[in-house]
Amino acid sequence: MGTPQIEPLSTTMGADVSGVDLARELDGAEFAAIEAAFHRFKLLRFPAQRISETEQIDFSRRFGKLQVHVLDQFRHPRHPEIYVLSNVDRETGRTIGHHPDMGTLTWHSDLSFQRQPALATILYGIETPAVGGETQFADMAAAYDALDGAMKRRLDGLRAIHDLDVSRRRMGEAPMTEAQRREAPPVNHPLVRTHPDTGRKILYLSRHVSRIDGLPDDDSEALIDELMAHATQPRFVFGYRWRPGDVVMWDNRSTIHRATAYDTSAERRVIHRTVVLGDVPV
Ligand code: SIN
């Protein structure tokens, strides 16, 4: 099909990739161009795609091993690698009138609650709202660079505890089952990690952070709030407005993201998500 065309989407991050059909297998040159753009822009959009579940899985697997999510209630019934983000009832075809996963509305990096968190997330927008339901991204490498020297020294060596059960309870979500808790116990990760491909330092924050290891509760909470407020200033954020057929992929090591609210009774939002596993953060 030729070389993909890559056009920056904003001055912060992101690029549009055209001239590729994700329903077919990419050749080596196409894949290399996409991978290079992924490292450079952190967020890629492939507009106007039409892909089946299997084609999404095959494309995602080019980047690495896929996650089967611990929250089995969100898994696609025939393709467990696909996590279904949907406000539409599968049986009745009607909107359910509430947000299917409140946690996605707060800033996070996917699977940061695992020892081996996400490298990339790939979303395929099947039905997308006309108003709201955007996905916003914050550039955590730029946010780290902009910290002053004293803060960088303070963060050096600190580790944060990430706990899915705590983050779900905070959002008023149903508690995890015993089996899910056993599969996803709390883990700790460095608060500043180094990107394995670009070598850049990154602030590694997420809604799954329950506390900073070794700090008193108040200090831990104040530091998390201060860093999150710093990293999500408009100068580091890019808001992405969905159109049906968009495939969007991002680097979870160097960005955090959240969905924005929408009218869950009037609007339909059905998105298929695959997540590629990454390295243990260092
Ligand atoms: C996610 O948090 O992985 C999904 C974000 C979205 O629904 O926009």
Side-chain angles (χ1 to χ4, degrees), residues 69 71 74 83-86 96 98-106 108 168 171 173 207 259 273:
H69 205 281
L71 300 176
F74 291 105
Y83 181 105
V84 181
L85 292 153
S86 169
I96 55 176
H98 60 84
H99 207 283
D101 182 356
M102 292 295 288
T104 60
L105 299 176
T106 47
H108 63 284
R168 282 184 67 74
M171 293 307 289
E173 296 283 359
R207 75 178 168 98
R273 179 175 99 158

PDB file of all heavy atoms in Angstrom, residues 69 71 74 83-86 96 98-106 108 168 171 173 207 259 273:
ATOM      1  N   HIS A  69      -7.656  -8.984  30.507  1.00  0.00           N
ATOM      2  CA  HIS A  69      -7.848  -8.158  31.706  1.00  0.00           C
ATOM      3  C   HIS A  69      -8.403  -8.960  32.877  1.00  0.00           C
ATOM      4  O   HIS A  69      -9.252  -9.832  32.700  1.00  0.00           O
ATOM      5  CB  HIS A  69      -8.786  -6.979  31.391  1.00  0.00           C
ATOM      6  CG  HIS A  69      -8.573  -5.822  32.293  1.00  0.00           C
ATOM      7  ND1 HIS A  69      -9.082  -5.778  33.572  1.00  0.00           N
ATOM      8  CD2 HIS A  69      -7.879  -4.678  32.130  1.00  0.00           C
ATOM      9  CE1 HIS A  69      -8.721  -4.648  34.150  1.00  0.00           C
ATOM     10  NE2 HIS A  69      -7.981  -3.951  33.284  1.00  0.00           N
ATOM     11  N   LEU A  71     -10.411  -7.947  35.104  1.00  0.00           N
ATOM     12  CA  LEU A  71     -11.845  -7.683  35.306  1.00  0.00           C
ATOM     13  C   LEU A  71     -12.627  -8.377  34.187  1.00  0.00           C
ATOM     14  O   LEU A  71     -12.918  -7.806  33.140  1.00  0.00           O
ATOM     15  CB  LEU A  71     -12.120  -6.173  35.327  1.00  0.00           C
ATOM     16  CG  LEU A  71     -11.391  -5.401  36.439  1.00  0.00           C
ATOM     17  CD1 LEU A  71     -11.664  -3.905  36.313  1.00  0.00           C
ATOM     18  CD2 LEU A  71     -11.812  -5.894  37.827  1.00  0.00           C
ATOM     19  N   PHE A  74     -15.606  -7.269  31.756  1.00  0.00           N
ATOM     20  CA  PHE A  74     -15.475  -6.375  30.595  1.00  0.00           C
ATOM     21  C   PHE A  74     -14.929  -7.094  29.351  1.00  0.00           C
ATOM     22  O   PHE A  74     -14.779  -6.488  28.308  1.00  0.00           O
ATOM     23  CB  PHE A  74     -14.519  -5.212  30.930  1.00  0.00           C
ATOM     24  CG  PHE A  74     -15.097  -4.263  31.950  1.00  0.00           C
ATOM     25  CD1 PHE A  74     -14.642  -4.275  33.263  1.00  0.00           C
ATOM     26  CD2 PHE A  74     -16.093  -3.363  31.607  1.00  0.00           C
ATOM     27  CE1 PHE A  74     -15.173  -3.411  34.214  1.00  0.00           C
ATOM     28  CE2 PHE A  74     -16.626  -2.489  32.547  1.00  0.00           C
ATOM     29  CZ  PHE A  74     -16.170  -2.518  33.851  1.00  0.00           C
ATOM     30  N   TYR A  83     -11.182  -5.828  25.529  1.00  0.00           N
ATOM     31  CA  TYR A  83     -11.907  -5.271  26.681  1.00  0.00           C
ATOM     32  C   TYR A  83     -12.936  -4.334  26.066  1.00  0.00           C
ATOM     33  O   TYR A  83     -12.590  -3.452  25.276  1.00  0.00           O
ATOM     34  CB  TYR A  83     -10.882  -4.537  27.528  1.00  0.00           C
ATOM     35  CG  TYR A  83     -11.337  -3.877  28.807  1.00  0.00           C
ATOM     36  CD1 TYR A  83     -11.041  -4.464  30.042  1.00  0.00           C
ATOM     37  CD2 TYR A  83     -11.973  -2.647  28.808  1.00  0.00           C
ATOM     38  CE1 TYR A  83     -11.391  -3.846  31.236  1.00  0.00           C
ATOM     39  CE2 TYR A  83     -12.328  -2.021  29.993  1.00  0.00           C
ATOM     40  CZ  TYR A  83     -12.031  -2.626  31.199  1.00  0.00           C
ATOM     41  OH  TYR A  83     -12.370  -2.010  32.378  1.00  0.00           O
ATOM     42  N   VAL A  84     -14.200  -4.544  26.404  1.00  0.00           N
ATOM     43  CA  VAL A  84     -15.258  -3.775  25.747  1.00  0.00           C
ATOM     44  C   VAL A  84     -15.639  -2.580  26.622  1.00  0.00           C
ATOM     45  O   VAL A  84     -16.079  -2.746  27.758  1.00  0.00           O
ATOM     46  CB  VAL A  84     -16.490  -4.666  25.482  1.00  0.00           C
ATOM     47  CG1 VAL A  84     -17.580  -3.866  24.776  1.00  0.00           C
ATOM     48  CG2 VAL A  84     -16.102  -5.886  24.649  1.00  0.00           C
ATOM     49  N   LEU A  85     -15.438  -1.385  26.067  1.00  0.00           N
ATOM     50  CA  LEU A  85     -15.862  -0.149  26.740  1.00  0.00           C
ATOM     51  C   LEU A  85     -17.177   0.233  26.087  1.00  0.00           C
ATOM     52  O   LEU A  85     -17.183   0.688  24.935  1.00  0.00           O
ATOM     53  CB  LEU A  85     -14.832   0.951  26.491  1.00  0.00           C
ATOM     54  CG  LEU A  85     -13.467   0.778  27.143  1.00  0.00           C
ATOM     55  CD1 LEU A  85     -12.388   1.488  26.339  1.00  0.00           C
ATOM     56  CD2 LEU A  85     -13.504   1.325  28.558  1.00  0.00           C
ATOM     57  N   SER A  86     -18.275   0.036  26.765  1.00  0.00           N
ATOM     58  CA  SER A  86     -19.555   0.238  26.088  1.00  0.00           C
ATOM     59  C   SER A  86     -20.653   0.629  27.068  1.00  0.00           C
ATOM     60  O   SER A  86     -20.733   0.081  28.157  1.00  0.00           O
ATOM     61  CB  SER A  86     -19.949  -1.066  25.382  1.00  0.00           C
ATOM     62  OG  SER A  86     -21.277  -0.991  24.939  1.00  0.00           O
ATOM     63  N   ILE A  96     -27.326   1.917  28.599  1.00  0.00           N
ATOM     64  CA  ILE A  96     -27.559   1.485  29.984  1.00  0.00           C
ATOM     65  C   ILE A  96     -27.765   2.675  30.923  1.00  0.00           C
ATOM     66  O   ILE A  96     -28.163   2.506  32.064  1.00  0.00           O
ATOM     67  CB  ILE A  96     -26.399   0.598  30.495  1.00  0.00           C
ATOM     68  CG1 ILE A  96     -25.047   1.309  30.345  1.00  0.00           C
ATOM     69  CG2 ILE A  96     -26.386  -0.738  29.779  1.00  0.00           C
ATOM     70  CD1 ILE A  96     -23.865   0.548  30.909  1.00  0.00           C
ATOM     71  N   HIS A  98     -25.657   4.724  32.345  1.00  0.00           N
ATOM     72  CA  HIS A  98     -24.601   5.114  33.282  1.00  0.00           C
ATOM     73  C   HIS A  98     -23.256   4.786  32.646  1.00  0.00           C
ATOM     74  O   HIS A  98     -23.197   4.035  31.658  1.00  0.00           O
ATOM     75  CB  HIS A  98     -24.746   4.420  34.650  1.00  0.00           C
ATOM     76  CG  HIS A  98     -24.680   2.918  34.579  1.00  0.00           C
ATOM     77  ND1 HIS A  98     -23.498   2.227  34.574  1.00  0.00           N
ATOM     78  CD2 HIS A  98     -25.662   1.992  34.469  1.00  0.00           C
ATOM     79  CE1 HIS A  98     -23.752   0.928  34.481  1.00  0.00           C
ATOM     80  NE2 HIS A  98     -25.057   0.766  34.414  1.00  0.00           N
ATOM     81  N   HIS A  99     -22.205   5.349  33.217  1.00  0.00           N
ATOM     82  CA  HIS A  99     -20.888   5.101  32.645  1.00  0.00           C
ATOM     83  C   HIS A  99     -20.453   3.671  32.973  1.00  0.00           C
ATOM     84  O   HIS A  99     -20.550   3.274  34.126  1.00  0.00           O
ATOM     85  CB  HIS A  99     -19.885   6.121  33.194  1.00  0.00           C
ATOM     86  CG  HIS A  99     -18.772   6.360  32.236  1.00  0.00           C
ATOM     87  ND1 HIS A  99     -17.748   5.466  32.089  1.00  0.00           N
ATOM     88  CD2 HIS A  99     -18.561   7.334  31.347  1.00  0.00           C
ATOM     89  CE1 HIS A  99     -16.937   5.908  31.152  1.00  0.00           C
ATOM     90  NE2 HIS A  99     -17.402   7.044  30.679  1.00  0.00           N
ATOM     91  N   PRO A 100     -19.997   2.891  31.969  1.00  0.00           N
ATOM     92  CA  PRO A 100     -19.701   1.486  32.257  1.00  0.00           C
ATOM     93  C   PRO A 100     -18.516   1.289  33.204  1.00  0.00           C
ATOM     94  O   PRO A 100     -18.455   0.302  33.925  1.00  0.00           O
ATOM     95  CB  PRO A 100     -19.393   0.896  30.880  1.00  0.00           C
ATOM     96  CG  PRO A 100     -19.063   2.062  30.010  1.00  0.00           C
ATOM     97  CD  PRO A 100     -19.810   3.236  30.561  1.00  0.00           C
ATOM     98  N   ASP A 101     -17.568   2.218  33.208  1.00  0.00           N
ATOM     99  CA  ASP A 101     -16.387   2.056  34.067  1.00  0.00           C
ATOM    100  C   ASP A 101     -15.935   3.455  34.491  1.00  0.00           C
ATOM    101  O   ASP A 101     -15.215   4.135  33.762  1.00  0.00           O
ATOM    102  CB  ASP A 101     -15.287   1.314  33.286  1.00  0.00           C
ATOM    103  CG  ASP A 101     -14.046   1.063  34.125  1.00  0.00           C
ATOM    104  OD1 ASP A 101     -14.006   1.529  35.282  1.00  0.00           O
ATOM    105  OD2 ASP A 101     -13.123   0.402  33.618  1.00  0.00           O
ATOM    106  N   MET A 102     -16.376   3.857  35.693  1.00  0.00           N
ATOM    107  CA  MET A 102     -16.101   5.215  36.178  1.00  0.00           C
ATOM    108  C   MET A 102     -14.598   5.503  36.252  1.00  0.00           C
ATOM    109  O   MET A 102     -14.154   6.639  36.121  1.00  0.00           O
ATOM    110  CB  MET A 102     -16.697   5.403  37.582  1.00  0.00           C
ATOM    111  CG  MET A 102     -18.200   5.406  37.618  1.00  0.00           C
ATOM    112  SD  MET A 102     -18.882   6.785  36.735  1.00  0.00           S
ATOM    113  CE  MET A 102     -18.479   8.115  37.853  1.00  0.00           C
ATOM    114  N   GLY A 103     -13.820   4.452  36.485  1.00  0.00           N
ATOM    115  CA  GLY A 103     -12.372   4.621  36.641  1.00  0.00           C
ATOM    116  C   GLY A 103     -11.725   5.248  35.417  1.00  0.00           C
ATOM    117  O   GLY A 103     -10.726   5.971  35.541  1.00  0.00           O
ATOM    118  N   THR A 104     -12.292   5.008  34.238  1.00  0.00           N
ATOM    119  CA  THR A 104     -11.653   5.550  33.039  1.00  0.00           C
ATOM    120  C   THR A 104     -11.792   7.075  32.972  1.00  0.00           C
ATOM    121  O   THR A 104     -11.157   7.714  32.142  1.00  0.00           O
ATOM    122  CB  THR A 104     -12.220   4.921  31.738  1.00  0.00           C
ATOM    123  OG1 THR A 104     -13.605   5.203  31.673  1.00  0.00           O
ATOM    124  CG2 THR A 104     -12.000   3.429  31.686  1.00  0.00           C
ATOM    125  N   LEU A 105     -12.621   7.655  33.862  1.00  0.00           N
ATOM    126  CA  LEU A 105     -12.803   9.113  33.855  1.00  0.00           C
ATOM    127  C   LEU A 105     -11.711   9.840  34.644  1.00  0.00           C
ATOM    128  O   LEU A 105     -11.715  11.061  34.706  1.00  0.00           O
ATOM    129  CB  LEU A 105     -14.172   9.484  34.443  1.00  0.00           C
ATOM    130  CG  LEU A 105     -15.410   8.934  33.707  1.00  0.00           C
ATOM    131  CD1 LEU A 105     -16.683   9.287  34.449  1.00  0.00           C
ATOM    132  CD2 LEU A 105     -15.483   9.472  32.280  1.00  0.00           C
ATOM    133  N   THR A 106     -10.826   9.091  35.284  1.00  0.00           N
ATOM    134  CA  THR A 106      -9.739   9.756  36.040  1.00  0.00           C
ATOM    135  C   THR A 106      -8.393   9.401  35.402  1.00  0.00           C
ATOM    136  O   THR A 106      -8.238   8.329  34.807  1.00  0.00           O
ATOM    137  CB  THR A 106      -9.746   9.342  37.524  1.00  0.00           C
ATOM    138  OG1 THR A 106      -9.861   7.925  37.590  1.00  0.00           O
ATOM    139  CG2 THR A 106     -10.900   9.957  38.289  1.00  0.00           C
ATOM    140  N   HIS A 108      -4.990   8.087  34.310  1.00  0.00           N
ATOM    141  CA  HIS A 108      -4.276   6.844  34.632  1.00  0.00           C
ATOM    142  C   HIS A 108      -3.421   6.374  33.465  1.00  0.00           C
ATOM    143  O   HIS A 108      -3.569   6.834  32.334  1.00  0.00           O
ATOM    144  CB  HIS A 108      -5.260   5.739  35.023  1.00  0.00           C
ATOM    145  CG  HIS A 108      -6.212   5.357  33.920  1.00  0.00           C
ATOM    146  ND1 HIS A 108      -7.297   6.131  33.556  1.00  0.00           N
ATOM    147  CD2 HIS A 108      -6.245   4.285  33.095  1.00  0.00           C
ATOM    148  CE1 HIS A 108      -7.953   5.558  32.565  1.00  0.00           C
ATOM    149  NE2 HIS A 108      -7.325   4.437  32.255  1.00  0.00           N
ATOM    150  N   ARG A 168     -10.611   1.284  42.380  1.00  0.00           N
ATOM    151  CA  ARG A 168     -12.018   1.004  42.044  1.00  0.00           C
ATOM    152  C   ARG A 168     -12.943   1.442  43.177  1.00  0.00           C
ATOM    153  O   ARG A 168     -13.981   2.018  42.951  1.00  0.00           O
ATOM    154  CB  ARG A 168     -12.208  -0.493  41.770  1.00  0.00           C
ATOM    155  CG  ARG A 168     -11.715  -0.872  40.386  1.00  0.00           C
ATOM    156  CD  ARG A 168     -11.996  -2.314  40.072  1.00  0.00           C
ATOM    157  NE  ARG A 168     -13.410  -2.625  39.941  1.00  0.00           N
ATOM    158  CZ  ARG A 168     -14.177  -2.294  38.904  1.00  0.00           C
ATOM    159  NH1 ARG A 168     -13.667  -1.608  37.906  1.00  0.00           N
ATOM    160  NH2 ARG A 168     -15.442  -2.642  38.860  1.00  0.00           N
ATOM    161  N   MET A 171     -13.671   5.118  43.260  1.00  0.00           N
ATOM    162  CA  MET A 171     -14.606   5.587  42.229  1.00  0.00           C
ATOM    163  C   MET A 171     -16.006   5.020  42.441  1.00  0.00           C
ATOM    164  O   MET A 171     -16.871   5.156  41.577  1.00  0.00           O
ATOM    165  CB  MET A 171     -14.110   5.170  40.837  1.00  0.00           C
ATOM    166  CG  MET A 171     -12.838   5.837  40.387  1.00  0.00           C
ATOM    167  SD  MET A 171     -12.938   7.642  40.486  1.00  0.00           S
ATOM    168  CE  MET A 171     -14.063   8.004  39.140  1.00  0.00           C
ATOM    169  N   GLU A 173     -16.863   1.905  42.399  1.00  0.00           N
ATOM    170  CA  GLU A 173     -17.123   0.724  41.569  1.00  0.00           C
ATOM    171  C   GLU A 173     -17.276  -0.509  42.454  1.00  0.00           C
ATOM    172  O   GLU A 173     -16.769  -0.536  43.581  1.00  0.00           O
ATOM    173  CB  GLU A 173     -15.932   0.462  40.630  1.00  0.00           C
ATOM    174  CG  GLU A 173     -15.669   1.551  39.621  1.00  0.00           C
ATOM    175  CD  GLU A 173     -16.661   1.517  38.465  1.00  0.00           C
ATOM    176  OE1 GLU A 173     -17.531   0.635  38.451  1.00  0.00           O
ATOM    177  OE2 GLU A 173     -16.562   2.389  37.594  1.00  0.00           O
ATOM    178  N   ARG A 207      -4.126   6.889  38.414  1.00  0.00           N
ATOM    179  CA  ARG A 207      -5.179   6.854  39.447  1.00  0.00           C
ATOM    180  C   ARG A 207      -5.039   5.625  40.325  1.00  0.00           C
ATOM    181  O   ARG A 207      -5.591   5.562  41.417  1.00  0.00           O
ATOM    182  CB  ARG A 207      -6.556   6.861  38.803  1.00  0.00           C
ATOM    183  CG  ARG A 207      -6.953   5.527  38.190  1.00  0.00           C
ATOM    184  CD  ARG A 207      -8.335   5.557  37.616  1.00  0.00           C
ATOM    185  NE  ARG A 207      -8.617   4.407  36.801  1.00  0.00           N
ATOM    186  CZ  ARG A 207      -9.272   3.329  37.215  1.00  0.00           C
ATOM    187  NH1 ARG A 207      -9.675   3.222  38.457  1.00  0.00           N
ATOM    188  NH2 ARG A 207      -9.501   2.339  36.387  1.00  0.00           N
ATOM    189  N   ALA A 259     -11.026   9.391  30.017  1.00  0.00           N
ATOM    190  CA  ALA A 259     -12.172   9.679  29.149  1.00  0.00           C
ATOM    191  C   ALA A 259     -12.932  10.836  29.770  1.00  0.00           C
ATOM    192  O   ALA A 259     -12.887  11.040  30.984  1.00  0.00           O
ATOM    193  CB  ALA A 259     -13.064   8.446  29.054  1.00  0.00           C
ATOM    194  N   ARG A 273     -11.013  -2.356  23.054  1.00  0.00           N
ATOM    195  CA  ARG A 273      -9.663  -2.011  23.538  1.00  0.00           C
ATOM    196  C   ARG A 273      -8.788  -3.261  23.594  1.00  0.00           C
ATOM    197  O   ARG A 273      -9.216  -4.305  24.095  1.00  0.00           O
ATOM    198  CB  ARG A 273      -9.796  -1.432  24.940  1.00  0.00           C
ATOM    199  CG  ARG A 273      -8.480  -1.068  25.564  1.00  0.00           C
ATOM    200  CD  ARG A 273      -8.703  -0.380  26.892  1.00  0.00           C
ATOM    201  NE  ARG A 273      -8.535  -1.329  27.967  1.00  0.00           N
ATOM    202  CZ  ARG A 273      -8.254  -0.996  29.226  1.00  0.00           C
ATOM    203  NH1 ARG A 273      -8.121   0.253  29.566  1.00  0.00           N
ATOM    204  NH2 ARG A 273      -8.093  -1.919  30.140  1.00  0.00           N
TER     205      ARG A 273
END
